Every structure is written in C-alpha cells, then in structure tokens.
C-alpha cells in the first residue's frame, strides 16, 4: 500500500528536485563554460551567465581534435561491444539454464567471479594477448616440441603472430565478455515457465529454434537494457583505447579530448575543452533518450 499525504508528497518532490539539481548542475556548468571566451572562462569565480562564443568554441573544438572520425571510431567500438555483449551473454546464459551437463553451476560461478577482475586489473595480460593473439598457441607448440619437430622435418620455422593493436577488433574483442550480462540473462531465463519449454518441445522445436523464436522475443527488453548500458560503458572507455591505439586513425573521441587541453605552461582553454566535452557526450545522450522506454522495461519487466 502506498500512503499519500501532503507532507510525504512534498518530501518526495523535494528529494526528486534535489536529485535533479545535483544531476543537471555539472552539465549546466559545462555548457556555460563552453559559451565563454578565454578570459571569462578563467575568471575566479567564473560567471554562470552564458557568453556569446558558444558556436565559435564548438567549431574550434571540432576542428582541433578532428572529432568527426573520432566520433565514428567511438560509435563503432561502442556498438560492437554492446552487440557482442548481448549476443555472448544470451548464448552463455542459455547454455547454463537449459542444458544439463556436469559443472555448469561451477562454470557459472567462475564467470560470476570475473566481476572482481575489471579490465584495469588484468590490463597487462590482456594487452599481451591482443598484441599477439596466437602467442598461447606458439607457447604450446614450443613446450610440446612440435615447433622443433616441424622445423627439423620441413625446415620451416614456426612463428605464429597476429596482432590486433590499432584495429577495431582489438578495441572491441577484449571488452565483450561480461559476467553482468550473463547474470542478467540467467535470472530472466530462470523465470520463464517450464510449461512454455515443454510446449515448445511438444511442438517439435529444437534448442536453436526455441532460443531464436521464443526466448529472444521474450528477452527484447532485457537486450535493450543491457545494450544501452554496455554502449554507454564502452563509449566512456578511456584507458583501453588510449593503450592500444598509437595510430590516430583508430583513436576514439574520449581519448582525443586531451588534444584540447594545452601542455604544461600553456593557458588552459577550458572553454574549448568544455565545448569538446559537450560534443562527445551528445551521442550517448541521444541513445539514452531513444532507448529510455525499453531500458526501463528491461530493468523492471516481469511479464512473460
């Protein structure tokens, strides 16, 4: 039962208003700073009244950081990570919930434990693998003596090498495995009635048809919610793109914001940097607005 009284209504709206102000205040400060010229933005305290140089700063930020190609790179990376996470998480959870094989619970908990190993913790071994994804196979060949045997028989030295640095594959692939998505799908699949599974089986549906024709349509809200969250997460990645992209043609928009901040000794052009920040935050904001309805349904939906 929800109690409605004037005092509780007022208190609830007060909390909502305070939360709204806390969320919107940084965005307002960024927008106002992006509208000032260099002298006004470095005043202490900075005026909170908008200036007249907003579009000039936007144009300068766009050309200085070359944000057009960088935004495209960010979109490809974020969309690839979101799609990869949705697909792999759905398949993994489907295997754990609907197939009976030894160790499936243990495998699930192994996946779940990886929540405690974010990318920043395992970034060195991840970088080593991306630098040469065939290095584990080369190690196996060396340890088993097969590379030596092949060299003696054929005279060909076995040296496996496939680097993914400065590539979209290298940007996307290490980020698509997720325990969060697997857990979300597993919890949803567990709520699907057994009668639905039995009915599909009686109609002659195999595992693949049951997954594609029944489970995926039921999971579209979860897919939208997970895809939205992962798109935002991948879009905001800074460390991984900075580490593996030495070629500017594969740099992302978030990492290129540093081009707008002068080096040590220069005058901080915060108006240009804030204008670039507004440009970079615009695409994920559009995604959230467009996906808001499915995003909320995916987090709270229980109907099957």
């Amino acid at each position: 039962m929800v109690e409605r009284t004037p005092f509780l209504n007022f208190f609830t709206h007060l909390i909502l208003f305070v939360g709204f102000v806390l969320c919107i205040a940084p965005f307002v400060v960024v927008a106002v700073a992006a509208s000032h010229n260099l002298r006004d933005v470095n005043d202490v305290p900075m005026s909170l009244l908008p200036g007249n140089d907003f579009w000039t700063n936007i144009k300068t930020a766009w050309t200085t950081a070359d944000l057009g190609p960088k935004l495209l790179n960010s979109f490809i990376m974020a969309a690839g990570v979101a799609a990869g996470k949705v697909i792999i998480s759905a398949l993994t959870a489907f295997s754990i919930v609907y197939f009976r094989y030894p160790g499936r619970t243990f495998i699930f908990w192994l996946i779940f434990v990886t929540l405690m190993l974010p990318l920043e913790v395992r970034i060195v071994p991840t970088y080593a693998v991306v630098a040469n994804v065939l290095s584990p196979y080369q190690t196996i060949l060396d340890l088993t003596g097969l590379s030596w045997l092949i060299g003696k028989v054929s005279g060909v030295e076995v040296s496996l090498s496939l680097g993914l640095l400065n590539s979209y594959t290298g940007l996307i692939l290490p980020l698509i495995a997720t325990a969060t998505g697997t857990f979300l799908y597993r919890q949803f699949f567990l709520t699907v009635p057994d009668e639905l599974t039995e009915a599909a089986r009686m109609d002659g549906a195999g595992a693949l048809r049951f997954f594609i024709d029944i489970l995926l349509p039921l999971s579209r809200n979860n897919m939208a919610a997970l895809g939205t969250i992962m798109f935002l997460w991948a879009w905001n990645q800074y460390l991984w793109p900075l580490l593996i992209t030495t070629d500017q043609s594969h740099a992302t928009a978030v990492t290129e914001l540093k081009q707008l901040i002068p080096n040590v000794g220069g005058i901080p052009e915060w108006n240009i940097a804030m204008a670039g920040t507004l440009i970079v935050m615009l695409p994920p904001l559009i995604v959230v607005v467009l996906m808001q309805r499915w995003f909320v349904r995916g987090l709270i939906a229980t109907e099957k």
Side-chain angles (χ1 to χ4, degrees), residues 66-180:
D66 193 18
L67 287 179
K70 306 306 183 295
L71 287 172
L72 178 61
N73 292 340
S74 289
F75 181 81
I76 293 174
M77 173 187 169
V81 170
K85 280 180 178 290
V86 168
I87 295 172
I88 289 183
S89 300
L91 291 173
T92 306
F94 178 63
S95 168
I96 292 173
V97 174
Y98 287 99
F99 289 86
R100 300 291 183 267
Y101 51 86
R104 63 191 183 100
T105 304
F106 178 70
I107 293 173
F108 168 72
W109 285 111
L110 278 181
I111 297 173
F112 192 76
V113 165
T114 61
L115 281 174
M116 292 180 286
L117 295 172
L119 179 65
E120 290 75 10
V121 174
R122 51 183 169 81
I123 197 163
V124 173
T126 303
Y127 178 84
V129 172
V130 171
N132 182 10
V133 294
L134 299 180
S135 60
Y137 303 101
Q138 180 70 49
T139 303
I140 293 175
L141 292 176
D142 293 340
L143 291 177
T144 57
L146 288 176
S147 57
W148 175 82
L149 182 61
I150 294 173
K152 285 294 182 182
V153 173
S154 64
V156 177
E157 182 182 356
V158 178
S159 179
L160 303 179
S161 178
L162 178 60
L164 298 179
L165 301 179
N166 293 313
S167 68
Y168 291 125
T169 308
L171 281 171
I172 295 171
L173 209 56
L175 303 180
I176 62 174
T178 171
T180 307

Side-chain angles (χ1 to χ4, degrees), residues 199-244:
R201 187 175 299 155
M202 292 175 65
D203 287 341
L208 186 60
R209 184 179 175 188
F210 174 70
F211 177 71
I212 295 176
D213 291 346
I214 297 178
L215 280 184
L216 287 187
L218 288 175
S219 309
R220 59 181 181 274
N221 290 330
N222 298 75
M223 295 170 65
L226 180 63
T228 304
I229 294 172
M230 292 302 125
F231 183 91
L232 300 181
W233 177 77
W235 184 277
N236 292 325
Q237 284 293 312
Y238 180 80
L239 182 59
W240 180 248
L242 181 68
L243 186 64
I244 74 160

Side-chain angles (χ1 to χ4, degrees), residues 275-286:
T277 303
L278 282 179
I279 297 174
V280 173
M281 74 169 62
L282 189 60
L285 187 63
I286 294 174

Side-chain angles (χ1 to χ4, degrees), residues 286-304:
I286 294 174
V287 170
V288 170
V289 171
L290 294 178
M291 300 294 291
Q292 182 183 13
R293 185 174 59 176
W294 294 278
F295 175 74
V296 174
R297 285 181 180 177
L299 295 180
I300 65 174
T302 57
E303 71 270 13
K304 251 70 74 183

Side-chain angles (χ1 to χ4, degrees), residues 255-272:
T255 59
E256 287 307 290
L257 283 179
K258 68 179 183 299
Q259 301 291 341
L260 303 177
I261 301 175
N263 296 323
V264 177
I267 300 175
E269 297 177 331
W270 296 117
N271 51 339
I272 307 298

